[in-house]
Amino acid sequence: MRLPILLFLFLLLVAGSLQSHSASPRQPNIVFIYADDLGMGMLGCYGQQIVKTPNIDRLADQGITFTRVYSSQYCCPARASLLMGVHDSHANSYTQTRGGLVTAMEQNKWSPEEFSQKAESASTIKPSPNEVFLPQLLKKAGYVTGQFGKLDWGFTTWPGELKRHGWDHYTGYMDHERAHGFYPTFLWKDGGILPLPGNTRIDAGVTPEQYAEGATAKRRGNRKGKETYAPDVMLKEALNFMEANRRKPIFLFFSTNLPHGPVDIPPHENIYRDNTAIQDAYASASGNNRECAAAAEEYASMVAKLDNQVGALVNKAKQLGIADHTIFIFAADNGHEIYYRTDKGRGRGLNYHGGILDATGEVLDVFRANRGTIGPNGKMVDLAGLKWTNHEGGIRIPLIVSCPGTIPQGKVCRSMIANYDHMATFAELAGIPMPAGKDSVSYAPVLQGKPIKKEHQHVVIDHSVITRDGWKLTRKGNDWLLFNLTKDPGERRNLATEQPDKLRHMQDLYKREVGSPRQDKS
């Protein structure tokens, strides 16, 4: 009798263990959509009036819209900061390699192995043995990791680096300079070459940013060697990745090159062609800017294309039956850029707000994308500057997080978040500890309707320090610029002379953070 009783007790123990294990919370899938050069004001949920973005707006309606999110002023430091979980202003943190190497590979007929050797030798700052990257961290938590789009931070990466960072699968551009063209002869897939049928242009079919009379007809008419639109291929690969791994937790980083310019969209998808609002805005434009109306139409269509791709990713999760445990995050790498003017450089100063030049009232940006409904009670706020500046219009980005039925719906979060906070957030969602020494702070409690446990007292973005209570310090040449963003979100009044005590306090923070060694590279 003793043996059957012991066996019965053992089976009860095993059954209890299995029941306990099955009742544990399931790790959510994480689908992170990272738009390229997209100002928050291009989205309906942040106040866009001309271009319609119903799929992204639906994520906002069914989730949380963030109003105070910071990233770097251009792509490379933004993506490096994101993947490393540290701010972008540390000393000797990473290598920003040069672009153009994949084009040279094609011209010189190098093998993938030869390309990898050259790319690796160009990267002078190597990761330390114990350094942990975002996909690597999630992989340790049991996730299958995949990246589709502009791969890592560039400007050139290679298969060995992608493997070191923790990517199981990837398809996209190794060279971010090449990603300015939407019709490359091939993309990279899991270390190998993925040819794109009908694409014959070594320059990836990049559109010249030339807007003399007749440029539109030439751009739209010359499609030779441009048959397969790379964003379509990268979306297809991302959807296949979701299908193949539907029974496992996935981290999908959709790092698209939409809607980065120069503008290019398949002609049949140019849905904003002859748009009345765009045509009217350019009717009084001077010189070659009048020709830019067509480029603005194509840019709007690229944003619509991005929105449709977001919808495709969401619908795929529903089709696979995984939508109820898939978190969608939508963000951008930096502030807005104008790819539909000949004189966009005029928008990079503190005299440009919400698409308009202060002195003359001239509308430089028909879409007015460097503004958003981010003020109290959804008030529209006009930000200063564009991409390539550390003004608010260059470093303030959209962020939307959604998972219907799990995350509070239709909410607005005004906590200060940095681009490098995604690492700690995803780690908490995955149930894995964060590596020591990172700057990242988790905003995961917000997704449960709770306050952040330990908010940033300040964030460091592109050699600027911004405090939780709204003070911002940056430099322009030898001059300090001090702003109170709570009262002056447009950075119209430099308080460096008027507030000497506050200036000294902010300078102390600046000197402590900017150029400091990283604490996670041991």
Side-chain angles (χ1 to χ4, degrees):
M1 285 294 293
R2 184 174 178 81
L3 185 60
I5 291 174
L6 289 175
L7 180 60
F8 175 76
L9 291 173
F10 173 76
L11 291 173
L12 280 178
L13 182 64
V14 170
S17 174
L18 289 173
Q19 185 176 14
S20 175
H21 180 73
S22 64
S24 62
R26 177 171 182 171
Q27 292 171 306
N29 298 312
I30 300 171
V31 177
F32 188 10
I33 303 156
Y34 207 52
D36 203 358
D37 285 7
L38 181 81
M40 68 173 74
M42 285 305 307
L43 304 176
C45 53
Y46 284 95
Q48 174 57 219
Q49 297 297 309
I50 297 175
V51 182
K52 306 304 179 186
T53 54
N55 293 294
I56 298 170
D57 296 347
R58 192 173 300 113
L59 290 181
D61 291 340
Q62 298 177 345
I64 303 172
T65 303
F66 293 74
T67 64
R68 200 179 174 201
V69 185
Y70 287 96
S71 187
S72 309
Q73 63 169 278
Y74 69 101
C75 60
C76 181
R79 294 158 196 266
S81 176
L82 166 72
L83 294 175
M84 296 185 301
V86 298
H87 71 65
D88 62 7
S89 302
H90 287 293
N92 301 314
S93 186
Y94 65 97
T95 303
Q96 178 177 302
T97 53
R98 295 179 62 181
L101 197 62
V102 173
T103 301
M105 167 189 169
E106 192 163 7
Q107 290 170 332
N108 294 292
K109 302 187 183 332
W110 299 334
S111 68
E113 291 73 24
E114 288 176 301
F115 163 80
S116 293
Q117 291 171 2
K118 294 178 186 296
E120 184 173 7
S121 65
S123 180
T124 56
I125 301 174
K126 308 297 185 186
S128 63
N130 296 324
E131 188 174 348
V132 179
F133 298 89
L134 174 57
Q136 178 187 6
L137 181 65
L138 292 175
K139 187 171 178 171
K140 288 181 179 179
Y143 280 70
V144 183
T145 60
Q147 183 180 187
F148 306 89
K150 287 171 65 171
L151 301 175
D152 277 22
W153 62 72
F155 285 117
T156 301
T157 187
W158 67 96
E161 184 173 58
L162 291 164
K163 181 178 180 180
R164 170 66 180 84
H165 290 171
W167 296 111
D168 292 313
H169 300 283
Y170 55 85
T171 300
Y173 295 85
M174 291 282 185
D175 184 334
H176 290 199
E177 183 178 296
R178 188 176 174 87
H180 296 171
F182 291 85
Y183 294 90
T185 56
F186 67 88
L187 294 171
W188 292 80
K189 179 177 179 179
D190 297 345
I193 300 298
L194 178 63
L196 300 193
N199 292 358
T200 60
R201 300 267 298 271
I202 289 180
D203 66 354
V206 65
T207 304
E209 286 190 88
Q210 298 171 356
Y211 299 108
E213 186 176 350
T216 299
K218 183 178 180 180
R219 182 177 68 253
R220 291 180 174 177
N222 182 15
R223 310 301 295 180
K224 184 178 180 181
K226 299 170 69 169
E227 292 186 16
T228 302
Y229 197 58
D232 290 336
V233 177
M234 295 183 294
L235 174 65
K236 180 181 178 182
E237 293 290 328
L239 297 175
N240 290 342
F241 173 80
M242 294 176 73
E243 175 105 35
N245 297 287
R246 61 189 180 277
R247 294 185 178 87
K248 307 169 188 174
I250 61 169
F251 171 48
L252 192 166
F253 185 32
F254 192 65
S255 51
T256 176
N257 55 340
L258 288 171
H260 195 296
V263 296
D264 207 342
I265 187 81
H268 67 280
E269 294 187 77
N270 186 13
I271 64 173
Y272 282 89
R273 182 169 182 167
D274 299 325
N275 177 271
T276 301
I278 297 173
Q279 290 289 331
D280 289 349
Y282 280 87
S284 59
S286 59
N288 289 342
N289 273 321
R290 187 175 295 234
E291 188 80 21
C292 291
E297 293 168 358
E298 291 162 39
Y299 182 83
S301 299
M302 291 169 74
V303 174
K305 174 87 171 179
L306 169 64
D307 182 74
N308 288 335
Q309 293 201 336
V310 171
L313 291 164
V314 173
N315 289 336
K316 187 66 173 181
K318 293 177 181 177
Q319 175 194 332
L320 295 174
I322 60 174
D324 63 343
H325 55 275
T326 299
I327 295 177
F328 286 89
I329 301 97
F330 181 93
D333 56 351
N334 45 252
H336 195 65
E337 178 63 305
I338 303 175
Y339 290 104
Y340 35 89
R341 292 281 300 204
T342 63
D343 52 356
K344 59 187 176 184
R346 292 198 291 159
R348 304 211 194 281
L350 288 169
N351 61 343
Y352 172 78
H353 290 88
I356 296 176
L357 291 166
D358 296 346
T360 63
E362 180 185 358
V363 177
L364 198 66
D365 178 9
V366 57
F367 305 117
R368 304 190 65 185
N370 69 327
R371 65 176 188 165
T373 50
I374 56 176
N377 301 313
K379 180 182 177 182
M380 183 68 74
V381 175
D382 293 335
L383 302 178
L386 294 165
K387 177 186 177 180
W388 299 113
T389 76
N390 54 17
H391 308 319
E392 293 291 284
I395 61 176
R396 198 94 164 248
I397 62 167
L399 175 63
I400 300 162
V401 183
S402 179
C403 183
T406 303
I407 289 175
Q409 296 191 25
K411 300 296 183 181
V412 175
C413 176
R414 303 190 185 279
S415 296
M416 184 169 63
I417 307 294
N419 181 57
Y420 47 87
D421 289 337
H422 297 300
M423 178 182 276
T425 304
F426 296 171
E428 185 170 345
L429 293 173
I432 188 170
M434 270 290 286
K438 299 290 188 183
D439 300 320
S440 186
V441 170
S442 174
Y443 60 83
V446 174
L447 310 184
Q448 303 166 349
K450 302 175 182 177
I452 297 174
K453 297 171 187 175
K454 188 179 179 182
E455 285 195 56
H456 286 293
Q457 294 305 305
H458 64 270
V459 297
V460 183
I461 300 290
D462 195 41
H463 297 80
S464 301
V465 176
I466 305 157
T467 65
R468 182 181 175 186
D469 59 355
W471 287 93
K472 177 179 178 179
L473 182 70
T474 189
R475 299 187 75 164
K476 188 173 184 179
N478 294 322
D479 297 327
W480 292 101
L481 302 180
L482 178 68
F483 300 104
N484 184 342
L485 298 176
T486 303
K487 297 180 179 179
D488 177 26
E491 302 169 284
R492 297 173 188 269
R493 185 176 179 182
N494 181 9
L495 300 173
T497 302
E498 298 177 39
Q499 298 270 1
D501 292 341
K502 179 60 70 174
L503 176 63
R504 281 191 292 270
H505 169 70
M506 294 295 291
Q507 285 173 328
D508 288 343
L509 284 178
Y510 186 99
K511 292 171 184 176
R512 189 175 79 208
E513 293 283 8
V514 176
S516 64
R518 282 174 53 182
Q519 301 300 308
D520 66 319
K521 287 175 76 86
S522 57

